[in-house]
Amino acid sequence: MADSGPAGGAALAAPAPGPGGGGAGPRVYFQSPPGAAGEGPGGADDDGPVRRQGKVTVKYDRKELRKRLNLEEWILEQLTRLYDCQEEEIPELEIDVDELLDMEGDDTRAARVKELLVDCYKPTEAFISGLLDKIRGMQKLSTPQKK
């Protein structure tokens, strides 16, 4: 972990290399705090702060996050149609995708969604089956845990 940068150093994001550059995303550099080696009078680099490349880990897979965002946008669009109103006027209800993914089988999931949509006067079967199709194969997003 020698490359993790000094404590208190600021992280700076630099653009990713162009196509074929081998980088998967933006590179992160850590700026040395004032007075660190190689900085200031008599240092090796008087032109600016010393930048060392650091490593950043991402907790969630971007592809999975994009799928989840698309699903949530689809749910919102479908609910505005079902309730025949604007987004702000949809009755307060929470369709928890992680909760649905924890349940055993589509019948249990469908029953839970039907419970949530109990006050909807339009038919909900198409929405429920569409939702179940979309969550099939998705991964549950767990919250990061502190060690």
Side-chain angles (χ1 to χ4, degrees):
M1 276 250 195
D3 234 6
S4 65
L12 305 170
R27 298 207 183 271
V28 176
Y29 294 92
F30 293 98
Q31 181 176 347
S32 299
E39 212 179 90
D45 185 12
D46 288 340
D47 294 338
V50 174
R51 290 172 25 149
R52 290 190 279 162
Q53 185 174 348
K55 292 183 179 181
V56 175
T57 57
V58 178
K59 176 69 179 170
Y60 302 117
D61 179 16
R62 265 192 186 169
K63 191 174 181 181
E64 201 60 39
L65 284 174
R66 172 60 55 197
K67 279 167 109 176
R68 184 64 66 103
L69 179 62
N70 289 339
L71 175 65
E72 289 185 9
E73 289 172 348
W74 179 84
I75 289 172
L76 195 56
E77 179 185 321
Q78 296 302 311
L79 290 177
T80 57
R81 289 181 183 168
L82 282 174
Y83 285 97
D84 205 17
C85 63
Q86 296 298 314
E87 177 181 335
E88 300 81 27
E89 300 165 347
I90 295 173
E92 183 115 4
L93 63 98
E94 183 179 341
I95 297 175
D96 186 347
V97 176
D98 286 335
E99 176 190 358
L100 296 175
L101 290 172
D102 278 341
M103 293 179 171
E104 294 284 330
D106 283 352
D107 292 338
T108 312
R109 293 180 182 128
R112 176 65 181 137
V113 177
K114 200 167 189 75
E115 278 176 31
L116 295 170
L117 301 174
V118 71
D119 60 345
C120 182
Y121 63 90
K122 288 187 175 180
T124 58
E125 289 78 18
F127 168 72
I128 293 171
S129 67
L131 176 62
L132 296 179
D133 285 344
K134 288 183 178 292
I135 69 169
R136 200 167 287 120
M138 288 185 90
Q139 297 174 8
K140 184 178 172 189
L141 295 182
S142 58
T143 54
Q145 297 177 354
K146 294 185 179 184
K147 293 182 180 179

